[in-house]
Amino acid sequence: MKLVLIGAPGSGKGTQAKYLTEKYHIPQISTGDLLRAAVAAQTPLGRQAKAIMDAGQLVPNDIVIGMIRERIARPDADQGFVLDGFPRNIAQAVALDDILDKMGKPIDAVLQFDVDAEMLIQRMTGRLTCLACGALFNLFTQPPAVDDCCDECGGPLRHRSDDNEETIERRLSVFETLTQPLSDYYKQKGILHMVEAHGDIAEVTKRVKSALRGLRPKRTPVKPMIEPVTTPSKSAKPEIKHTRVSEPKPKLRPRKKLKSITGNTRVKKLEIEKELPKVTGKKTTRACLLY
Ligand code: ADP
Ligand code: ZN
């Protein structure tokens, strides 16, 4: 199954991608994770990307397209993949189509996660990621059982450096102007599925399931070694047509409103920081099980 997840930062793509990897036994391919790995390894690419990411801007297309081309070609992606955070603009979408066309692996479905700006900001300011296993938590909606420690593996939890208010606002506006147009791009191809992304994780997963119900991976014609005598080839089967395409909601709230939402969040965030002083974006000093 070849799936693409699009949605504003904080819309829950990463969380649902993890569910989809288990359901379909396919890898999650996240350009954000690949870039963060390069930053952590302090490669030349990572050093270049860090400043761009911390500013909330998009890393140049040739870099991320190159990463995706290389990653999709690996054997574990043979049966499909969940793309999370790529493509992020039309040029990337066109490049992806080109890569997949050549490989005979067309996209089966694009899920667009739709959620209002206020919720996005709350999700991002509260987001915590396990440094060891990548599990996601949220201070507001899904706190870890022990502060700063991962429930899954005991590893230390880290607040992402680009999950601060200024960068969040920039990322949301980049999403509106550059990524949102992908909605029409995929709608025209008849493969867009809108998913309401408010509510808790289990509710959103339910909607993801129902959006994908009945979906079968597209078959691409594979040239037989010997021409079949009379039996028609599998590729002659009619393709399943998907009709579950709904109108995308209008854009996120106008920037003016976003600002005031961000202002409220600052108050909320400060209050929470008072209670939980560790969540400040710095590496935790508390010893977790493994560290
Ligand atoms: P989020 O969706 O929450 O913003 P990601 O982990 O997907 O988080 O991305 C973090 C940052 O990595 C982005 O703000 C951007 O700088 C960079 N990035 C990730 N994917 C892409 C991409 N496809 N094109 C350009 N930059 C990207
Ligand atoms: Zn963990």
Side-chain angles (χ1 to χ4, degrees):
M1 189 70 89
K2 284 89 55 195
L3 303 172
V4 169
L5 309 187
I6 54 178
S11 60
K13 301 183 298 285
T15 303
Q16 298 303 328
K18 291 196 167 51
Y19 157 75
L20 292 165
T21 61
E22 282 162 26
K23 179 174 162 75
Y24 294 110
H25 310 287
I26 47 176
Q28 170 189 7
I29 301 180
S30 152
T31 35
D33 287 349
L34 293 172
L35 288 165
R36 277 186 289 279
V39 171
Q42 300 192 354
T43 63
L45 186 154
R47 272 194 281 272
Q48 191 192 343
K50 180 164 175 35
I52 301 172
M53 292 166 81
D54 283 344
Q57 305 279 12
L58 292 189
V59 171
N61 285 343
D62 52 346
I63 293 181
V64 283
I65 292 167
M67 286 173 118
I68 286 291
R69 180 180 286 115
E70 187 270 328
R71 181 63 188 85
I72 284 179
R74 288 202 219 148
D76 68 336
D78 264 1
Q79 296 307 309
F81 42 76
V82 189
L83 285 184
D84 157 19
F86 185 94
R88 251 178 158 91
N89 58 29
I90 297 286
Q92 292 180 14
V94 171
L96 177 65
D97 282 345
D98 184 50
I99 294 170
L100 296 180
D101 273 357
K102 288 189 179 125
M103 297 175 104
K105 290 179 173 180
I107 298 169
D108 295 302
V110 176
L111 299 182
Q112 180 169 358
F113 292 84
D114 197 23
V115 66
D116 65 72
E118 194 168 357
M119 179 67 76
L120 292 173
I121 291 167
Q122 193 192 56
R123 283 185 182 175
M124 281 190 277
T125 50
R127 178 153 70 179
L128 295 168
T129 316
C130 173
L131 285 184
C133 76
L136 295 169
F137 298 87
N138 191 291
L139 272 180
F140 305 100
T141 54
Q142 203 202 356
V146 178
D147 287 354
D148 302 338
C149 291
C150 175
D151 290 356
E152 309 286 328
C153 77
L157 300 181
R158 157 92 55 97
H159 189 70
R160 262 170 54 175
S161 66
D162 60 347
D163 277 346
N164 63 71
E165 277 178 52
E166 240 175 81
T167 313
I168 287 171
E169 214 185 315
R170 160 64 59 174
R171 282 155 65 204
L172 289 176
S173 100
V174 166
F175 173 78
E176 277 184 49
T177 47
L178 298 176
T179 313
Q180 183 63 44
L182 292 179
S183 193
D184 279 342
Y185 181 85
Y186 288 121
K187 193 174 159 195
Q188 273 161 24
K189 290 177 180 283
I191 53 174
L192 182 74
H193 302 251
M194 295 300 288
V195 175
E196 286 228 36
H198 64 262
D200 64 29
I201 295 173
E203 279 175 75
V204 181
T205 303
K206 252 191 191 170
R207 294 184 206 122
V208 167
K209 266 190 205 164
S210 78
L212 296 178
R213 193 159 292 141
L215 189 71
R216 295 279 170 275
K218 280 184 190 150
R219 293 160 197 266
T220 45
V222 180
K223 265 200 173 167
M225 298 287 279
I226 307 160
E227 284 297 320
V229 193
T230 45
T231 37
S233 78
K234 280 184 177 173
S235 59
K237 277 190 180 175
E239 262 187 21
I240 300 162
K241 259 273 171 242
H242 308 295
T243 47
R244 295 184 57 88
V245 176
S246 57
E247 284 294 329
K249 279 200 179 161
K251 290 182 190 173
L252 293 169
R253 290 180 196 179
R255 204 163 160 70
K256 226 177 166 186
K257 275 199 178 163
L258 256 181
K259 273 201 171 139
S260 74
I261 296 163
T262 311
N264 289 342
T265 310
R266 180 177 291 127
V267 177
K268 257 193 242 158
K269 194 176 143 203
L270 288 178
E271 281 164 6
I272 280 149
E273 278 174 357
K274 258 186 243 157
E275 287 168 39
L276 294 157
K278 289 278 160 54
V279 189
T280 54
K282 308 233 161 50
K283 192 172 176 178
T284 169
T285 49
R286 190 182 195 295
C288 295
L289 283 179
L290 290 179
Y291 296 81

